[in-house]
Structure formats: structure tokens, C-alpha cells
Amino acid sequence: MLDIFLQTLPFFAIIALGYGAGRTGFFTPEATTYLTKFVFYFALSAMLFRFSANLPLGEVWNGRLVIAYLWGTAFIYGVATIVALLRNQGFAKTAIEAQCAVIGNTGFLGVPMLVLLMGENAIGPVILVLAVDLVVFSSLIVVLMSIAKDGRFDLSIFKTIGLGLLKNPMIVSMMLGLMWSATGAPLPRAVDAFAELLGSAATPGALFAIGASLASKSTEKVEVAAWLSFCKLVLHPAFVAIAAIYLFPLDPFSAGVIIAAAALPVAGNVFMLAQHYGVAPQRVSAAILVSTTISIVTVSLVIGWVSQL
């Protein structure tokens, strides 16, 4: 367990470095925004494209894995929803809290860390987890926030969702990579080298950007942030584990990868959604800050446990 902690520590050390740069003002909010854009649109997209293109297509899809992750995620989504409604939070805030409870930082933290720590065989399961988060739950929050805003369900929302998915560079890069993989041809050497070089900037850039963005986060309703962090860091991986090990049994390695992915802290894009819709952004901010801090220990514990499956 200590060995796992020491392996994850450098990742969180870079996050801490970014946080320090942001808190001292050395790295301004504007600089953080542009670094995040670089990682999101270029470095991380190049990494995902290369991973997908070099992955045999038959090794990507795993219906049982998708069902297991969906079941565990949906269960905790429901738990967080019920708790928020019992606290009379209203429709919009309830939807945001439920999103915090299940959407982890798979893109910026999970992809680089889990692939490096668990090996290249983790690429397929991690990509499926990321796809489920982006396609299912990111679409769901848009639908729910639209209903909360307009008071009714409008079919035109599906056009908005579709365009949003097509404009998401992570979705586009994964799809392009899988399309290339389907041809059975290896990437041209120059293209592979380009994607590898650009993609190598994703890990340090994403981690630094996470830390720098945390510097602008503040804590509000700490007890709510603690509850949402408990959902994300403990309940989410626990119920994904129940699904992956007992309800829809997967091979130990695949189960371990999606359990570890479920243990990641609250994703930064939930804050962007909350800010965009003007719904409890400070609450989401606190959940991201608290969950990321605590995950320094909990992620190591979960990875250490799943490595023994």
C-alpha cells in the first residue's frame, strides 16, 4: 500500500505545485484558463487519439463493463438525488449535487494516472468509463438543467446535446482513433510520433491545471461538500465494485480499473456546468476542493486494494 501511495504521490505533487502557483498569483486565472484549453483541445486529445488508434477495436467494447459501471454510477446518482430532495434543495441544485457525486476527473487525472500505474491494458476500460460519463451523464445533466430552467421537456434539447458531443475534443479524438483502429492499419510513424510528443504534455499539463484551478475554489457549505466527497470517493467506487465483482462479474483487472476510475475526485467540468447555469457553483467548488484533497489518500487505498483482486 505504501508503494502505491508513493507511486500516486508525484501526480498529486504536481497538482499541489499548480495550486501553489495559483495561490501565490504566479499563475493567474487567465493563465490557468489557457493552459486548460491547451490540455483539453490539444495534448489530451492527442493522447486519447493515439491510445484509441493503437488499441485493437475488439479489445475496446465490453458490454458487461459498461453495464457494471452504469449500474454502480446510477445507484449513487439516485442516492445523492434522494438525499438532496429530502433536504429540499430544489430540482436544479439536486441535479448538480447528483452530478458531483458520480462524475470524476477521468479525463485530466484518470487517463494519465491509471494508464501509467496500471499499465496500457487499462486504456480500453478507462476509455469506456470516460465515454459513459461524457455521453450518458453529461447529456443527462443538460436535459435536467433544461427542464429546471424551462419547466418542461423540449425535444430540441437533443440537438444541443448532439452538437455538444460533436464539439467535445475528447469524444472526437476517441472516435477518430477508434475509426483508424477499425482499419487494422498501424498509425504512420510520423503521425504516431507527433501524437506521442504532443500527448506527453497532457499528464503534467492537466495535473498542473487541476491544481491551479483549485486555487480559485472556495469552500461553502462544507458539510455538503463532505457528503458529496464521501459519495464520490467512497460510495461510488464501492457500488461500482459490487456491480463489477458480484452483479455483472468482470475479469479482476477490468473490474479493478473501473473501480479505481470511480474513486477519482469530482471533475472540474461539473463546476463549469454549475457556473454556466448559475446553480450552486460555490457548493461544487467546495466539493472539488475537498474531494481532491482527500483523494490523495483514498485513491491510493483503492488502487492498492484493486491491485490485489
Side-chain angles (χ1 to χ4, degrees):
M1 195 65 70
L2 178 61
D3 183 55
I4 296 294
F5 175 73
L6 292 176
Q7 288 182 58
T8 59
L9 193 58
F11 292 88
F12 290 102
I14 296 176
I15 292 176
L17 186 65
Y19 180 81
R23 290 294 291 180
T24 58
F26 183 80
F27 219 72
T28 64
E30 184 180 19
T32 302
T33 298
Y34 283 106
L35 175 60
T36 301
K37 283 185 176 181
F38 165 73
V39 173
F40 188 57
Y41 286 97
F42 298 100
L44 186 58
S45 296
M47 175 186 280
L48 288 171
F49 171 76
R50 183 171 179 270
F51 281 167
S52 302
N54 290 320
L55 191 67
L57 198 59
E59 296 181 13
V60 179
W61 178 252
N62 185 331
R64 187 178 287 267
L65 183 152
V66 171
I67 292 171
Y69 181 74
L70 263 174
W71 185 91
T73 304
F75 192 96
I76 300 307
Y77 196 98
V79 169
T81 297
I82 291 170
V83 170
L85 289 174
L86 289 174
R87 291 172 25 242
N88 298 314
Q89 291 303 294
F91 193 83
K93 288 181 180 178
T94 294
I96 287 292
E97 287 195 9
Q99 197 80 355
C100 283
V102 299
I103 300 302
N105 209 336
T106 309
F108 273 40
L109 180 59
V111 171
M113 184 171 71
L114 296 181
V115 172
L116 189 61
L117 293 180
M118 304 182 79
E120 291 195 358
N121 288 336
I123 294 171
V126 171
I127 283 177
L128 284 179
V129 167
L130 183 59
V132 169
D133 283 347
L134 291 173
V135 175
V136 178
F137 292 97
S138 291
S139 299
L140 178 60
I141 189 66
V142 173
V143 171
L144 294 177
M145 297 310 292
S146 177
I147 293 173
K149 180 182 177 182
D150 301 330
R152 61 186 178 85
F153 177 74
D154 190 338
L155 288 175
S156 64
I157 191 63
F158 290 112
K159 179 181 179 181
T160 302
I161 291 172
L163 290 174
L165 291 175
L166 290 175
K167 291 178 181 179
N168 189 309
M170 289 193 287
I171 290 286
V172 173
S173 58
M174 286 190 292
M175 291 305 300
L176 289 175
L178 292 174
M179 287 169 62
W180 182 272
S181 174
T183 67
L187 279 174
R189 185 177 300 178
V191 175
D192 187 64
F194 169 78
E196 182 179 19
L197 182 61
L198 182 57
S200 64
T203 300
L207 297 174
F208 193 93
I210 291 171
S213 66
L214 287 175
S216 62
K217 301 289 186 289
S218 59
T219 54
E220 177 206 64
K221 294 185 178 293
V222 178
E223 66 281 1
V224 177
W227 157 245
L228 295 176
S229 297
F230 178 72
C231 286
K232 187 68 204 69
L233 302 177
V234 179
L235 295 183
H236 190 203
F239 278 85
V240 168
I242 290 171
I245 296 173
Y246 301 108
L247 301 181
F248 313 96
L250 300 172
D251 65 274
F253 181 78
S254 296
V257 173
I258 66 170
I259 294 166
L264 296 170
V266 181
N269 62 3
V270 183
F271 174 76
M272 295 178 196
L273 281 167
Q275 199 169 42
H276 174 74
Y277 289 107
V279 179
Q282 294 303 317
R283 188 174 310 181
V284 177
S285 172
I288 293 171
L289 184 60
V290 172
S291 65
T292 302
T293 302
I294 298 174
S295 70
I296 297 173
V297 175
T298 58
V299 167
S300 299
L301 291 173
V302 171
I303 293 177
W305 174 64
V306 301
S307 65
Q308 298 172 18
L309 292 178

